[in-house]
Amino acid sequence: METEKNIKHRKSVIGIVSSNKMLKTITVKAEKRVKHPRYGKFVKRVTVYKAHDEENKAVQGDKVEIIESRPISKSKRWRLTRIVKK
């Protein structure tokens, strides 16, 4: 696949699988805390990623790590690297 040198510069995200109903595709919700621009309070923001899961290993509720990759389809730009917690 790719060499270790290329993988070092790719973004990785840890999130929770919210759907695995598609074939070889999972939907991952990643939560981050950002500071509100006016009030200064930290608020939660959720980003949804579609990731490629070649062997359909991940199920709903799993904590997974995904990594940036080349475009696989119209909406898939991420790939499953490992399942952190079942």
Side-chain angles (χ1 to χ4, degrees):
M1 291 183 91
E2 292 93 9
T3 62
E4 287 293 322
K5 191 175 182 182
N6 288 342
I7 293 177
K8 287 180 184 177
H9 300 293
R10 295 189 176 181
K11 293 179 194 171
S12 67
V13 175
I14 293 179
I16 295 177
V17 177
S18 61
S19 172
N20 66 337
K21 295 178 182 178
M22 297 168 273
L23 188 64
K24 294 187 180 183
T25 304
I26 56 173
T27 304
V28 178
K29 286 190 177 181
E31 193 175 274
K32 63 180 175 182
R33 294 180 53 203
V34 293
K35 197 171 186 178
H36 192 279
R38 175 172 288 169
Y39 302 115
K41 183 177 179 179
F42 283 95
V43 289
K44 291 179 183 176
R45 296 282 182 232
V46 176
T47 308
V48 178
Y49 300 101
K50 285 190 181 154
H52 186 66
D53 181 9
E54 184 65 39
E55 291 137 19
N56 289 318
K57 285 184 188 175
V59 295
Q60 192 170 358
D62 285 355
K63 192 173 190 179
V64 295
E65 181 185 19
I66 57 176
I67 194 168
E68 255 184 338
S69 71
R70 63 180 178 82
I72 298 166
S73 70
K74 180 182 173 184
S75 58
K76 281 200 284 188
R77 304 292 192 263
W78 296 81
R79 205 175 58 236
L80 176 72
T81 50
R82 66 186 174 106
I83 298 173
V84 178
K85 185 179 169 188
K86 276 277 190 193

